[in-house]
Amino acid sequence: MWDCVLVRYSEIAIKSRPVRSRFERILVNNISLALKGCLRDYRVQRKWGRIVVEAKNTDRVCERLSYVFGVVSISPAKRLSLRGLPKFVERNVSKLVQKGPFAVRVTRVGEHSFTSRDMERKLGEIVVKKTGKKVNLKEPASTLHVEIREKDAYVYNDVISGPMGLPLGSQGKVYCFVNDKLGILAAWLMMKRGCRPIIFHTAPVDELDRWSPGMELEKTEISSLEELAERAKGDETPVVLADTLNTASIEGIKADDERFYCVLRPLIGYTEDMVKELRKRVLG
Amino acid sequence: MWDCVLVRYSEIAIKSRPVRSRFERILVNNISLALKGCLRDYRVQRKWGRIVVEAKNTDRVCERLSYVFGVVSISPAKRLSLRGLPKFVERNVSKLVQKGPFAVRVTRVGEHSFTSRDMERKLGEIVVKKTGKKVNLKEPASTLHVEIREKDAYVYNDVISGPMGLPLGSQGKVYCFVNDKLGILAAWLMMKRGCRPIIFHTAPVDELDRWSPGMELEKTEISSLEELAERAKGDETPVVLADTLNTASIEGIKADDERFYCVLRPLIGYTEDMVKELRKRVLG
């Protein structure tokens, strides 16, 4: 039934118009790369603070986009003309409203002769008439969402969380040193922060690949942190290390700070519980 | 009805017996300090991987403990002898099982002539008989929990989340530089990590006080980061700064690293979204 995917992204981190525009361009590009090669027909469009992906296989789109940083949430949806909306709901009511009591939620942008409330009531009546189901606005078992934009309407049921963060490559490059799983987590955090990672590894880092779908990560196998220090001599690119207060001593931190131009340690405030939770999220 | 509070804490971060024991001692001490001065009668006891606080005003205990780092979750509970359990449930059934379908969950440590399942069934039957309510193990509207330890039973309904982390003061001391809200968040993260903070501030830091209930934080007002650099000269205590990639440049990070013995930046991997969420959590 679905023929597109609504992609929501954050604008909080965006201050000025040009920065926001750049952020959106990178995100659209990353989404296109993620879908290229795994889908035949699709179209990625920027619209009113949303990105809309038109595609037949919306499951596949959702699966890929759940690994694209910068995506806040996604919804497989059906695009309709506003005029066709009531008829569509009537025809597909059994798919749109499944078990138990339901709710209709309408959001609206543009000038219309009705309020969002009016439309919720109208569609709700259609559902009740066709199915006999009860309305429950507080704790519905299923929700029929409608996003109305001028003369278009997007109908959807689910809101699936994305990985959040900033689009990969929207921030500067960093050298990530990976010699264990913690190293992967530290690199992941900086990737989520938008940085473009260049990976120097003594251990396998394949787990990072799925977090840059459609984009090859830059990787170099090395033998030790000393080797990275040697290679990075005179280089002002920040180096990402996986130190936590469990694994590193203050003296060790001091020594590494002197060895590199600049060291970033995204895990330094993490407890083992937090690391464990992050591991589950990143490594599955 | 409740006469004690069950406190759950994490053991994941604990490797060896002596470290774990030290961790528990600090946590028990922090809990006692948090309750002292705001409660008259209470007793804090370590028991089988739990801490039990006996007190009349369990609401007050829960409120205070929700700001004690190291606490994973808390439950206002009633302590009973195992023999008195069925009678107690029968008498208090209307308070223990409120709206809608219910479930009974029993956990058990020690040798008993019955299984946990047996006890769940037995208590469930009492509830059904007295109230006519339905059992729903999958999605109960209310749950009657029973924790059985040898000849004791603890009955409770709610599991309230604690702040997690490690007990304040279980790790080394850090100098926290606070000149804005971000500085408070950075200090908070290291406090949650167990560090003992010594606060150098140019802006108010009162919001941190409630996260060390019953313990006075060490604070010094200063005029600038330069002043801290001056004071910390020759001192190997790590300095906590609130840098994110939004607020700091790589050059600035480099410069501060040279100014102090060792700098920790717990926010370096945070996006603005993550900062916003943390703000809500810490500053309310």
Side-chain angles (χ1 to χ4, degrees):
Chain A
M1 176 172 45
W2 311 127
D3 59 10
C4 64
V5 175
L6 298 183
V7 183
R8 297 174 198 86
Y9 55 89
S10 175
E11 296 174 42
I12 296 164
I14 311 311
K15 280 146 186 164
S16 61
R17 233 186 146 71
V19 173
R20 175 179 158 179
S21 184
R22 187 176 150 268
F23 171 108
E24 288 179 346
R25 263 199 324 276
I26 296 172
L27 183 57
V28 165
N29 188 48
N30 290 357
I31 288 174
S32 300
L33 289 172
L35 300 179
K36 205 172 158 177
C38 87
L39 274 182
R40 232 187 270 171
D41 290 325
Y42 67 92
R43 205 153 65 111
V44 183
Q45 293 172 286
R46 272 164 74 178
K47 289 190 177 185
W48 25 266
R50 295 260 183 285
I51 293 164
V52 178
V53 179
E54 288 176 29
K56 276 184 191 158
N57 190 343
T58 53
D59 281 354
R60 192 92 182 97
V61 173
C62 291
E63 199 273 323
R64 294 287 277 188
L65 295 196
S66 65
Y67 293 103
V68 174
F69 291 117
V71 170
V72 170
S73 69
I74 41 184
S75 295
K78 173 72 181 176
R79 183 181 174 172
L80 297 163
S81 73
L82 184 50
R83 290 184 54 181
L85 177 59
K87 192 118 258 167
F88 177 79
V89 170
E90 197 177 339
R91 277 197 192 138
N92 296 282
V93 72
S94 63
K95 284 177 204 153
L96 292 170
V97 181
Q98 300 187 331
K99 40 166 195 186
F102 77 99
V104 179
R105 305 261 180 233
V106 173
T107 56
R108 210 171 44 83
V109 167
E111 297 269 332
H112 299 100
S113 61
F114 54 87
T115 66
S116 302
R117 254 305 140 88
D118 291 339
M119 185 55 85
E120 286 176 357
R121 221 170 289 126
K122 183 173 173 181
L123 298 178
E125 274 165 21
I126 293 175
V127 175
V128 170
K129 213 169 167 184
K130 285 286 273 188
T131 64
K133 282 185 194 299
K134 281 189 184 161
V135 173
N136 184 336
L137 296 180
K138 263 201 176 160
E139 287 187 334
S142 68
T143 303
L144 169 60
H145 294 275
V146 181
E147 195 162 301
I148 297 175
R149 298 278 169 169
E150 310 297 347
K151 292 180 180 176
D152 290 333
Y154 294 82
V155 176
Y156 62 95
N157 282 134
D158 297 327
V159 179
I160 304 160
S161 292
M164 315 277 291
L166 296 175
L168 198 63
S170 63
Q171 310 287 314
K173 73 175 176 179
V174 289
Y175 294 152
C176 298
F177 177 68
V178 180
N179 65 345
D180 57 11
K181 298 286 178 196
L182 270 182
I184 290 180
L185 300 184
W188 186 88
L189 283 171
M190 298 316 294
M191 286 164 71
K192 181 176 173 181
R193 183 66 192 72
C195 294
R196 188 161 70 81
I198 296 164
I199 317 267
F200 293 90
H201 59 107
T202 67
V205 288
D206 305 339
E207 283 131 323
L208 281 177
D209 290 334
R210 65 168 157 166
W211 293 100
S212 65
M215 289 184 274
E216 188 119 9
L217 290 176
E218 227 177 302
K219 294 177 203 165
T220 307
E221 202 176 332
I222 56 171
S223 59
S224 64
L225 189 60
E226 282 66 40
E227 189 181 337
L228 178 55
E230 202 51 52
R231 282 174 179 245
K233 215 165 239 171
D235 190 332
E236 299 187 0
T237 306
V239 173
V240 177
L241 298 183
D243 299 326
T244 72
L245 288 188
N246 270 335
T247 58
S249 66
I250 298 304
E251 295 75 31
I253 288 176
K254 167 81 177 162
D256 285 338
D257 277 348
E258 284 170 358
R259 191 139 62 157
F260 295 102
Y261 180 75
C262 168
V263 179
L264 307 179
R265 298 179 174 83
L267 289 168
I268 202 69
Y270 277 57
T271 61
E272 286 200 27
D273 286 350
M274 290 160 78
V275 168
K276 204 181 157 195
E277 208 173 292
L278 187 64
R279 247 182 122 110
K280 232 188 286 169
R281 172 89 180 92
V282 176
L283 308 177
Chain B
M1 175 172 47
W2 311 127
D3 59 10
C4 64
V5 174
L6 299 183
V7 183
R8 297 173 198 87
Y9 54 89
S10 174
E11 296 173 43
I12 296 165
I14 312 311
K15 280 144 185 166
S16 62
R17 235 189 144 69
V19 173
R20 174 180 156 176
S21 184
R22 186 176 149 270
F23 170 108
E24 288 178 346
R25 262 200 324 277
I26 295 172
L27 182 58
V28 166
N29 189 47
N30 290 358
I31 287 173
S32 300
L33 289 172
L35 300 178
K36 205 172 158 179
C38 87
L39 274 181
R40 230 186 272 171
D41 291 324
Y42 67 91
R43 205 153 64 110
V44 183
Q45 293 173 286
R46 270 164 75 178
K47 288 190 175 183
W48 26 266
R50 295 260 183 285
I51 293 165
V52 178
V53 178
E54 289 176 28
K56 275 184 194 159
N57 190 342
T58 53
D59 281 354
R60 192 92 182 96
V61 173
C62 290
E63 199 272 323
R64 295 286 278 189
L65 295 196
S66 66
Y67 293 102
V68 174
F69 290 117
V71 170
V72 170
S73 69
I74 41 184
S75 294
K78 173 73 181 177
R79 183 182 175 170
L80 297 163
S81 74
L82 185 48
R83 290 184 54 182
L85 177 59
K87 192 117 259 163
F88 176 80
V89 170
E90 197 177 339
R91 277 199 192 139
N92 296 281
V93 71
S94 63
K95 283 177 205 152
L96 293 170
V97 181
Q98 300 187 331
K99 40 166 195 185
F102 77 101
V104 179
R105 304 262 179 231
V106 174
T107 57
R108 211 170 44 81
V109 168
E111 298 268 332
H112 300 100
S113 61
F114 54 88
T115 65
S116 301
R117 254 306 141 88
D118 290 339
M119 185 55 85
E120 287 177 356
R121 221 171 288 124
K122 184 173 172 180
L123 298 178
E125 275 165 19
I126 293 174
V127 175
V128 170
K129 213 170 166 183
K130 285 286 272 187
T131 65
K133 282 186 194 298
K134 280 190 185 163
V135 173
N136 184 337
L137 296 179
K138 265 201 176 160
E139 287 187 335
S142 68
T143 303
L144 170 61
H145 294 275
V146 182
E147 195 163 300
I148 296 176
R149 298 280 172 167
E150 310 296 348
K151 291 178 181 175
D152 291 333
Y154 294 83
V155 177
Y156 62 95
N157 283 134
D158 297 327
V159 179
I160 303 160
S161 292
M164 315 278 291
L166 296 174
L168 198 65
S170 64
Q171 310 287 314
K173 74 175 175 180
V174 288
Y175 294 152
C176 298
F177 177 67
V178 179
N179 66 344
D180 56 11
K181 299 286 178 195
L182 269 181
I184 291 181
L185 300 184
W188 186 87
L189 283 171
M190 298 316 294
M191 286 164 71
K192 181 176 172 179
R193 183 64 192 74
C195 293
R196 186 161 71 81
I198 296 163
I199 317 266
F200 292 90
H201 60 107
T202 66
V205 288
D206 305 339
E207 282 132 323
L208 281 176
D209 291 334
R210 65 168 158 167
W211 294 99
S212 65
M215 290 184 274
E216 187 117 13
L217 289 176
E218 228 176 302
K219 294 176 204 166
T220 306
E221 202 176 333
I222 56 173
S223 59
S224 64
L225 189 60
E226 282 66 40
E227 188 181 337
L228 177 55
E230 202 52 51
R231 283 174 179 242
K233 216 167 238 171
D235 189 332
E236 299 186 0
T237 306
V239 173
V240 177
L241 298 183
D243 299 327
T244 72
L245 289 188
N246 270 333
T247 57
S249 66
I250 297 305
E251 296 75 31
I253 289 176
K254 167 80 178 163
D256 286 338
D257 277 349
E258 284 170 357
R259 188 138 63 157
F260 295 102
Y261 180 75
C262 168
V263 179
L264 307 178
R265 298 178 174 85
L267 289 168
I268 201 69
Y270 278 57
T271 61
E272 285 198 27
D273 286 348
M274 290 160 79
V275 168
K276 203 181 158 194
E277 209 173 290
L278 187 63
R279 247 182 121 109
K280 233 189 286 172
R281 172 90 181 90
V282 177
L283 309 177

